[in-house]
Every structure is written in C-alpha cells, then in structure tokens.
Amino acid sequence: QVQLVESGGGLVQAGGSLRLSCAASAITFSIYSMAWYRQAPGKQRELVAIITSGGSTNYADSVKGRFTISRDNAKNTLYLQMNSRKHEDKAVYYCRGGLGGFSSWGQGTQVTVSS
C-alpha cells in the first residue's frame, strides 16, 4: 500500500502562487494515476486535478488555467502548482494515488488565502 504525504500548504495572498507536493513511498509510483482533491469547510471533497501514469491531465473548471498538476517519477513526487490564487481556493488539499480501482489518500495539507 502506497503512503502519501502532502507538503507545501500554508498562507498565500490572493493572486499569489504556491506549490504543493505529495511524496509517495512506492517505488512503483510511475504506474499510478495521481490526483489532487480539496475540501473546504462545510463542503464535500472535490476533485481538483488528475494526472495519469502516461502524463495526461484533467482539471476542474474552477481551477483550469490557474493550476497545473505534474509529476516527477524519478522523485516519486506529485505536484500542484497553484497560480492566481483566489479566496475560493482555501481548503484542505489531499493527494490521492489510484491503481486498478484501488486508491490511497494522503493526510491533507491546509491552504489558506489571505485578503
């Protein structure tokens, strides 16, 4: 079972940039489909972006054009580059790894957007 640990969360001004990282324990990281989710207070967890083992990406409409999901298989790490941050982006962000219908979740990292 792959273990995922997110980092890079914190406080950033609206309009600013922040990069989240998700470190995976599995040496087979490269074959996993990876995704970022987020959950705002009082709301359901939602999919933000996904990247397949082949590098294909998809984004939620709310972040399209602002966020970029990427992966470095040599470092077993998933990234989420967040640009043009908005107040609506405040949430706990979770890393998820999926393979063959199975999935693992990270513990989440808090992202706060200041005024």
Side-chain angles (χ1 to χ4, degrees):
Q1 188 70 35
V2 64
Q3 291 183 301
L4 305 171
V5 180
E6 300 96 334
S7 63
L11 176 67
V12 66
Q13 293 184 96
S17 298
L18 190 68
R19 188 175 75 165
L20 304 183
S21 298
C22 172
S25 63
I27 61 173
T28 54
F29 171 78
S30 63
I31 68 175
Y32 280 76
S33 290
M34 303 295 298
W36 286 101
Y37 289 74
R38 67 184 181 186
Q39 187 167 20
K43 296 185 178 181
Q44 301 277 32
R45 189 173 299 183
E46 64 176 349
L47 176 66
V48 175
I50 186 169
I51 184 168
T52 69
S53 59
S56 298
T57 60
N58 288 101
Y59 298 90
D61 289 340
S62 60
V63 306
K64 195 173 299 181
R66 300 188 297 117
F67 291 9
T68 301
I69 187 171
S70 62
R71 63 196 298 162
D72 187 337
N73 291 334
K75 297 180 179 179
N76 287 358
T77 303
L78 175 74
Y79 301 100
L80 183 67
Q81 178 67 44
M82 303 183 291
N83 298 327
S84 302
R85 293 277 300 280
K86 301 178 178 180
H87 288 101
E88 307 90 88
D89 297 327
K90 179 182 178 180
V92 177
Y93 284 72
Y94 297 88
C95 173
R96 182 189 182 189
L99 179 64
F102 298 91
S103 65
S104 296
W105 293 85
Q107 84 289 344
T109 185
Q110 178 71 55
V111 172
T112 301
V113 183
S114 64
S115 60

